[in-house]
Amino acid sequence: MDSFQTVLRFFTNQKATIGYSFMALMTIGGERLFSLVSFQCPCNQDQNFAYGMTFLLGPAAVLMILGLFFNNRLWRLYTGCCLNPVKLCPHGNCFGCARVLLSIFTGACVAPIMWLSVALLSGTFYECAVSGLEDKVVVDLFCKNKTLKCRDELARVPCGRSQLPGDESKDLLLMLRAQSQILGWCLIIISAFVGLLGTCYKNCRSKVSYLQLTFWKRYMEKEMERFDILSVEYATKLADRNLQSFFDNKDPAPFPFPNHKAWEEIS
Amino acid sequence: MDSFQTVLRFFTNQKATIGYSFMALMTIGGERLFSLVSFQCPCNQDQNFAYGMTFLLGPAAVLMILGLFFNNRLWRLYTGCCLNPVKLCPHGNCFGCARVLLSIFTGACVAPIMWLSVALLSGTFYECAVSGLEDKVVVDLFCKNKTLKCRDELARVPCGRSQLPGDESKDLLLMLRAQSQILGWCLIIISAFVGLLGTCYKNCRSKVSYLQLTFWKRYMEKEMERFDILSVEYATKLADRNLQSFFDNKDPAPFPFPNHKAWEEIS
Amino acid sequence: MDSFQTVLRFFTNQKATIGYSFMALMTIGGERLFSLVSFQCPCNQDQNFAYGMTFLLGPAAVLMILGLFFNNRLWRLYTGCCLNPVKLCPHGNCFGCARVLLSIFTGACVAPIMWLSVALLSGTFYECAVSGLEDKVVVDLFCKNKTLKCRDELARVPCGRSQLPGDESKDLLLMLRAQSQILGWCLIIISAFVGLLGTCYKNCRSKVSYLQLTFWKRYMEKEMERFDILSVEYATKLADRNLQSFFDNKDPAPFPFPNHKAWEEIS
């Protein structure tokens, strides 16, 4: 029983790590699924770019929106701030609010960046998108040292249906994939670096010590948990009382309940 | 026991997410089933468009109607409002009612949009529908850079029975599918964005804080649940009393029961 | 134990949904069975139409009659109204009775419409029926752009025994199936829409609020249930008493029993 508790505590501590690993696995699986089942490059100069970009950026946008949607902190801060804009800047301190919004936004960026990295490392979407570019500079760059046909047939390369000699077509494909993967690694390194810098800055400016911070984080979690449990309990009691009094046709008994202001304060 | 409670609470909290995931899986399964078992493009210029559109929009319409049908809030608001139109505008406040209707309608739109997205991402229905268009501009756009036969044979492309050279036919198919998938992603992104904006707006105008909102949501759920249980209890008691008095040929005992007005008020 | 209760309550609430899903599955299974085992298009111009229509409409008619047959409300209303026609129009209010009959009829229509939709979506029966039409306009429409033989051979198409070139025959089959499926979807959408409108109208004219309605629905169910139990109980007691008094050759003891009028009233 004791060792089970230890294991449980370990997993609770590593919740964030496990969550991110799970997310990464889901992203990789989703990317595999999309590029095998749904993605089929149209291989025509007009559509390639739009199509590839849709598959590269579409899921990222959806993930970003979902990330904002399921963020409790955003809603807690935001709710009711149209009727009471002062809430956003308590004590004239709009800067703090902006910092919270920035941190929320950063949190929502994790999933899209993961998707982009995975998609770029696999390279399928990028190949299709870039092969449809009509910009002269780019095409010249790609077709350097190649036969003249290359310009016309570039869009058909990702399908393997171009009329270029096999070697050239393979060269082009390898080049595009290499670009995509280099981009992907750059994205990963840059975002990891930015994340590290951000955490450094945040912790550096914090007024309390590290151990105190971890304590408060624990406290927040526990408070959230207890709030859930207690609110369900109170809601059940309140509902019971009201319905009883309704069916029995009697006045409801008084019920101790926090007033509006108290709710505002704890939010 | 405690950990079981935690797991249960987690699932209860994520009820909406699980419900939507289940719905998405059902939609994908349904789409697969339809396009494999039932859908067979007629490949003739007169019918393609009507047929494809029927499969694209028909299920969406049915899902929309079902969504409205199973919405308790709609019926609660709506019931009896012919005899008492004032009910829709309590205190001359028709705007609030319109907002509730709008939110009900939005809720009913989720399933149809899901269906449309899945169907467009798979592309089968769209290919068939669009290949039957007779509009000159569209046909010209599709048959750009193709042989003259393309115009006549376009409708037969989705069946793979056209007399075009294999390459051209494949190009056309890939192009149609690409259009369909781009449309699908646009639909997904736009509706996710609109959903986020709508939630922002709604929460922004809310008079109570976020935690109070979650508490009231819990309360509503619990009240509904307790109402179910209590109404079954009272109904059993009442039925028992009435039938007893009927068989025993006696007058029924008095029974405390809320009057008509009280019912009106809690609705 | 508690969670088991919750699951049970959930299923009780969703009784109607589960019932309809089951009915839909049965209909689909029945249609599959009929078209595989029993249905074999005669493929001759005189019989095709009658044969196809029999399979399309016959089961629908049977389902309709069965639906009326197993409807308790119909019999409760109808029983004894030849001897006492006033019962149909209590207080000169024939309109209410007509409304009840209409609602009974609507309920009985659900299964036939389900059958028709499934049969039309599968298309086998419709193909056979329509290929036997001798109306000149219809045949001209079907044989547009086809060889002259088409008119004579149309009836043999559903069997795959026509002497038309393979392509034309396949075109015809696909066209007929597409018509059938479009008709099927139209039927589904129209009946769903009519159902929604009807429910709206009914609820709109209801004198009581929605929650009261749900309570009375529960009450009706419970009353029916208790009536079953209690009537068995009382019938046992009464039979016991009568037989006892018969064997003992004594007058039966008096038994409190509702008179004829009371029975009439509760029906």
Side-chain angles (χ1 to χ4, degrees):
Chain A
M1 201 56 211
D2 203 46
S3 66
F4 176 74
Q5 285 278 326
T6 317
V7 172
L8 200 78
R9 196 157 351 102
F10 174 76
F11 278 118
T12 319
N13 285 350
Q14 304 295 319
K15 211 160 49 179
T17 319
I18 294 171
Y20 282 124
S21 314
F22 185 72
M23 210 156 108
L25 278 180
M26 290 287 287
T27 318
I28 293 174
E31 199 274 341
R32 278 300 74 197
L33 207 76
F34 265 124
S35 46
L36 283 179
V37 175
S38 179
F39 185 82
Q40 224 167 357
C41 191
C43 288
N44 92 43
Q45 211 148 20
D46 302 330
Q47 287 192 311
N48 270 9
F49 186 69
Y51 190 72
M53 277 302 169
T54 308
F55 271 87
L56 205 55
L57 300 183
V62 171
L63 285 173
M64 172 81 117
I65 290 172
L66 284 182
L68 287 176
F69 212 87
F70 288 115
N71 195 315
N72 278 333
R73 274 172 77 202
L74 174 62
W75 298 127
R76 202 192 296 185
L77 183 78
Y78 192 70
T79 305
C81 71
C82 279
L83 298 175
N84 181 16
V86 171
K87 238 181 99 181
L88 283 180
C89 302
H91 323 301
N93 177 14
C94 288
F95 185 66
C97 168
R99 224 169 46 199
V100 172
L101 279 182
L102 188 73
S103 95
I104 289 168
F105 187 74
T106 318
C109 275
V110 173
I113 286 178
M114 232 174 223
W115 167 266
L116 277 179
S117 316
V118 169
L120 284 174
L121 281 185
S122 120
T124 333
F125 305 151
Y126 179 87
E127 276 169 22
C128 183
V130 167
S131 68
L133 280 177
E134 292 182 59
D135 190 46
K136 206 171 162 300
V137 183
V138 179
V139 176
D140 276 353
L141 194 77
F142 290 168
C143 287
K144 213 170 59 178
N145 303 333
K146 300 269 181 332
T147 50
L148 278 176
K149 249 186 182 170
C150 168
R151 275 148 208 277
D152 299 328
E153 296 289 327
L154 186 57
R156 283 160 187 264
V157 166
C159 301
R161 291 194 293 117
S162 74
Q163 286 156 10
L164 295 173
D167 248 28
E168 266 190 20
S169 165
K170 209 172 177 187
D171 270 9
L172 276 172
L173 261 188
L174 284 175
M175 189 188 68
L176 292 181
R177 173 165 303 176
Q179 287 175 357
S180 171
Q181 293 184 336
I182 292 175
L183 270 181
W185 279 114
C186 290
L187 183 68
I188 292 175
I189 295 170
I190 290 172
S191 36
F193 195 67
V194 167
L196 184 66
L197 276 190
T199 315
C200 278
Y201 177 79
K202 205 180 83 185
N203 280 353
C204 182
R205 292 190 64 87
S206 111
K207 291 199 191 67
V208 294
S209 69
Y210 178 67
L211 285 179
Q212 207 169 352
L213 262 188
T214 48
F215 175 75
W216 279 115
K217 223 155 69 186
R218 290 268 157 71
Y219 171 72
M220 296 295 244
E221 273 170 27
K222 279 290 163 203
E223 196 186 58
M224 221 44 234
E225 213 182 308
R226 302 299 304 173
F227 177 78
D228 264 18
I229 301 174
L230 281 175
S231 71
V232 166
E233 226 167 68
Y234 272 84
T236 315
K237 268 195 216 159
L238 190 58
D240 238 18
R241 184 201 62 152
N242 286 350
L243 285 170
Q244 280 288 2
S245 80
F246 167 70
F247 273 111
D248 294 348
N249 230 348
K250 279 187 254 168
D251 271 344
F255 192 78
F257 200 68
N259 60 0
H260 187 70
K261 202 142 187 192
W263 278 105
E264 284 289 345
E265 260 162 33
I266 64 157
S267 279
Chain B
M1 201 55 211
D2 203 47
S3 67
F4 176 73
Q5 284 277 326
T6 315
V7 171
L8 200 78
R9 198 165 342 109
F10 175 76
F11 278 117
T12 320
N13 284 352
Q14 304 294 318
K15 212 161 48 180
T17 319
I18 294 171
Y20 282 124
S21 313
F22 185 71
M23 211 157 109
L25 279 181
M26 291 287 286
T27 318
I28 293 174
E31 199 274 340
R32 278 301 71 197
L33 207 76
F34 265 123
S35 46
L36 283 179
V37 175
S38 179
F39 185 83
Q40 223 167 358
C41 191
C43 288
N44 91 45
Q45 211 149 19
D46 302 330
Q47 287 191 312
N48 269 11
F49 187 69
Y51 190 72
M53 277 301 168
T54 308
F55 270 87
L56 205 56
L57 300 182
V62 172
L63 285 174
M64 172 82 118
I65 290 172
L66 284 183
L68 287 176
F69 212 86
F70 289 114
N71 194 316
N72 278 333
R73 274 172 77 201
L74 174 63
W75 299 127
R76 204 192 295 187
L77 183 78
Y78 193 71
T79 304
C81 70
C82 279
L83 299 175
N84 181 14
V86 171
K87 237 181 101 181
L88 283 180
C89 302
H91 323 301
N93 177 14
C94 287
F95 186 67
C97 168
R99 226 170 43 201
V100 172
L101 280 182
L102 187 74
S103 95
I104 289 169
F105 186 74
T106 318
C109 275
V110 173
I113 286 180
M114 232 175 222
W115 166 266
L116 276 181
S117 316
V118 169
L120 284 174
L121 280 186
S122 121
T124 333
F125 305 152
Y126 179 87
E127 275 169 22
C128 182
V130 166
S131 68
L133 280 177
E134 293 182 58
D135 189 46
K136 207 173 161 297
V137 183
V138 179
V139 177
D140 276 354
L141 194 77
F142 290 169
C143 287
K144 212 172 62 177
N145 300 333
K146 301 270 181 328
T147 50
L148 278 175
K149 249 186 184 169
C150 168
R151 276 148 208 276
D152 300 328
E153 296 288 326
L154 186 58
R156 283 158 188 266
V157 165
C159 302
R161 291 195 293 116
S162 75
Q163 286 154 10
L164 296 172
D167 246 31
E168 266 189 19
S169 164
K170 208 171 177 188
D171 267 11
L172 276 172
L173 262 187
L174 283 176
M175 191 187 69
L176 292 180
R177 171 167 302 177
Q179 287 175 357
S180 172
Q181 292 184 336
I182 293 175
L183 270 181
W185 276 114
C186 289
L187 183 70
I188 292 175
I189 295 171
I190 290 173
S191 36
F193 195 67
V194 168
L196 185 67
L197 278 189
T199 315
C200 277
Y201 179 79
K202 204 182 82 187
N203 279 353
C204 182
R205 294 193 64 87
S206 108
K207 288 200 192 65
V208 295
S209 68
Y210 178 68
L211 285 179
Q212 207 168 351
L213 263 188
T214 49
F215 177 76
W216 281 114
K217 222 155 71 186
R218 291 267 157 72
Y219 173 72
M220 296 297 241
E221 273 170 27
K222 280 289 164 202
E223 199 185 57
M224 223 43 235
E225 211 181 301
R226 303 297 305 173
F227 178 79
D228 265 17
I229 300 175
L230 280 174
S231 71
V232 166
E233 227 167 68
Y234 273 83
T236 315
K237 269 195 217 160
L238 190 58
D240 238 19
R241 185 201 63 152
N242 286 350
L243 285 170
Q244 280 287 4
S245 80
F246 166 71
F247 274 111
D248 295 349
N249 230 347
K250 281 188 251 167
D251 271 344
F255 192 78
F257 201 67
N259 59 1
H260 186 70
K261 202 145 188 189
W263 279 105
E264 284 289 344
E265 259 161 34
I266 64 155
S267 278
Chain C
M1 201 55 209
D2 203 46
S3 66
F4 177 73
Q5 284 277 327
T6 316
V7 170
L8 200 77
R9 200 164 341 110
F10 175 76
F11 278 117
T12 320
N13 285 352
Q14 305 293 319
K15 212 160 48 179
T17 318
I18 294 170
Y20 281 123
S21 313
F22 185 71
M23 211 157 110
L25 278 181
M26 291 288 286
T27 318
I28 293 175
E31 199 274 340
R32 278 300 72 195
L33 209 75
F34 265 123
S35 47
L36 283 179
V37 175
S38 176
F39 184 82
Q40 222 165 359
C41 191
C43 287
N44 89 47
Q45 211 150 21
D46 303 331
Q47 287 193 310
N48 269 10
F49 187 69
Y51 190 73
M53 277 301 169
T54 308
F55 271 84
L56 205 55
L57 300 181
V62 172
L63 285 173
M64 172 82 115
I65 291 170
L66 284 182
L68 288 175
F69 211 85
F70 289 115
N71 195 314
N72 278 333
R73 274 171 77 201
L74 176 63
W75 300 127
R76 203 192 296 185
L77 184 78
Y78 193 69
T79 305
C81 73
C82 277
L83 299 177
N84 181 14
V86 171
K87 236 183 102 183
L88 283 180
C89 302
H91 322 301
N93 178 14
C94 287
F95 186 66
C97 169
R99 225 170 43 200
V100 172
L101 280 183
L102 187 72
S103 95
I104 289 169
F105 186 74
T106 319
C109 275
V110 173
I113 286 181
M114 232 174 222
W115 167 266
L116 276 181
S117 315
V118 169
L120 284 174
L121 280 187
S122 121
T124 333
F125 306 151
Y126 179 88
E127 275 169 22
C128 182
V130 166
S131 67
L133 279 177
E134 293 182 56
D135 190 47
K136 206 173 162 298
V137 184
V138 179
V139 177
D140 276 354
L141 194 77
F142 290 169
C143 288
K144 212 173 62 177
N145 300 333
K146 301 270 180 329
T147 50
L148 279 174
K149 249 185 184 170
C150 168
R151 275 149 209 276
D152 300 328
E153 296 289 327
L154 186 58
R156 284 159 189 266
V157 166
C159 303
R161 290 194 293 116
S162 75
Q163 286 156 10
L164 296 173
D167 246 30
E168 266 189 18
S169 164
K170 208 170 177 189
D171 268 10
L172 277 172
L173 262 187
L174 282 176
M175 192 186 68
L176 293 180
R177 172 167 302 178
Q179 287 174 358
S180 172
Q181 291 184 337
I182 292 175
L183 271 181
W185 277 113
C186 289
L187 183 70
I188 293 175
I189 294 171
I190 290 173
S191 37
F193 195 68
V194 168
L196 184 67
L197 278 189
T199 315
C200 276
Y201 179 79
K202 204 182 82 185
N203 279 353
C204 183
R205 295 193 65 87
S206 108
K207 288 201 193 65
V208 294
S209 68
Y210 177 68
L211 286 179
Q212 207 168 351
L213 264 188
T214 49
F215 178 77
W216 280 115
K217 221 154 72 186
R218 291 267 157 70
Y219 173 72
M220 297 295 242
E221 274 169 28
K222 280 290 163 199
E223 199 185 58
M224 225 41 237
E225 211 180 302
R226 303 298 303 174
F227 179 78
D228 267 15
I229 300 174
L230 279 174
S231 69
V232 166
E233 225 169 69
Y234 274 83
T236 315
K237 267 195 216 159
L238 189 57
D240 239 19
R241 186 201 62 154
N242 287 350
L243 287 170
Q244 279 287 3
S245 79
F246 167 70
F247 276 112
D248 294 352
N249 228 348
K250 279 190 251 165
D251 270 345
F255 191 77
F257 200 66
N259 59 2
H260 187 70
K261 202 147 189 186
W263 279 105
E264 284 289 344
E265 258 164 34
I266 64 155
S267 277

